Amino acid sequence: MKPTETDIFIIVDVQNDFLPGGALAVPEGDAVIAPINKLAKAFRHVVLTQDWHPKGHASFASSHASKKPFELIELSYGSQVLWPDHCVQGTRGAEIASELDIPHAELVIRKGHNRQIDSYSGFKEADRKTSTGLAGYLRERGFNRVFVAGLATDFCVTWTALDAKAAGFDTYLIEDASRPIDTNGSLARAQNDLKAAGVHITTSGQIVKD
Ligand code: VGL
Ligand code: ZN
């Protein structure tokens, strides 16, 4: 499955706050860095996403009286998991991990910057209406297969993959180059949704030889 000129590799939210020691550290989050660096070298075209919240964001538990991280709340667009404050615009935690070695990445798409609406997906915010423009960008550039990896498997990676598929791209989630948070059954739900949508689950060994 050697990457071609019409394949795009989308690397999701490999940012300090999702790595060990970060505000919303994903278990083994740093394990994605080596496979992602290796994969990225095999792709001519790479896009990064960056979770990029203003202070006081609606997805932060601290923005709601007497709510704790990982609890659920109903917002205008539906159910929202509450998180510790993370990836606040301009902070070190929001920076893309310096260990990523991908100088040829062509675009960084920032998401979650609307104070009232979360955005796990790199394509569409959690209201399921507001677009980031990424589908149009990828279409206009003539890509047809989308490969997705990063953090966290069961949130931003899955939502990005589902939206890529819904936008008409043949979509692959690279499992060993991603790591889950797994809260409130989120990983099992994500796996079901991916399967139902027809997103291919693959491994980096299928794309680059060791
Ligand atoms: C993410 C929770 C909150 C992610 C982002 O990148 O998966 N998860 N914000
Ligand atoms: Zn976030």
Side-chain angles (χ1 to χ4, degrees):
M1 208 163 37
K2 202 174 176 321
T4 72
E5 191 60 30
T6 56
D7 291 339
I8 183 83
F9 182 26
I10 303 180
I11 301 168
V12 176
D13 297 6
V14 182
Q15 295 168 255
N16 294 329
D17 269 344
F18 297 122
L19 294 174
L24 178 41
V26 176
E28 298 179 6
D30 52 341
V32 307
I33 289 172
I36 284 178
N37 281 339
K38 189 168 182 178
L39 283 161
K41 285 186 178 47
F43 282 87
R44 166 72 181 79
H45 301 289
V46 179
V47 165
L48 309 176
T49 71
Q50 187 173 24
D51 214 34
W52 195 250
H53 301 308
K55 277 187 212 156
H57 191 251
S59 77
F60 297 170
S62 65
S63 305
H64 306 273
S66 69
K67 288 285 177 192
K68 290 196 203 59
F70 306 101
E71 289 182 4
L72 290 167
I73 192 175
E74 282 304 311
L75 295 182
S76 59
Y77 50 81
S79 175
Q80 171 71 47
V81 183
L82 293 175
W83 304 107
D85 292 22
H86 65 279
C87 299
V88 174
Q89 296 171 358
T91 62
R92 214 191 90 74
E95 287 171 17
I96 306 276
S98 60
E99 297 90 341
L100 280 193
D101 181 19
I102 315 176
H104 64 295
E106 295 168 3
L107 174 74
V108 179
I109 192 112
R110 287 174 167 171
K111 61 184 181 64
H113 38 66
N114 183 330
R115 198 168 171 279
Q116 312 300 339
I117 309 175
D118 205 3
S119 191
Y120 295 145
S121 164
F123 289 87
K124 260 189 203 172
E125 297 186 359
D127 61 1
R128 306 280 77 209
K129 288 192 198 76
T130 312
S131 170
T132 65
L134 182 56
Y137 171 88
L138 297 179
R139 260 185 226 122
E140 195 161 332
R141 297 212 41 212
F143 295 115
N144 45 50
R145 287 198 303 184
V146 169
F147 293 78
V148 188
L151 301 171
T153 314
D154 44 346
F155 289 95
C156 294
V157 176
T158 286
W159 284 54
T160 299
L162 290 171
D163 280 352
K165 178 72 184 177
F169 300 100
D170 188 19
T171 305
Y172 295 76
L173 188 159
I174 311 169
E175 212 168 23
D176 61 306
S178 306
R179 285 292 183 282
I181 296 173
D182 202 10
T183 175
N184 299 310
S186 55
L187 184 58
R189 203 172 317 119
Q191 286 165 338
N192 283 336
D193 292 348
L194 291 163
K195 193 167 181 205
V199 171
H200 308 288
I201 308 293
T202 190
T203 60
S204 45
Q206 300 292 311
I207 300 164
V208 280
K209 290 283 155 267
D210 288 315

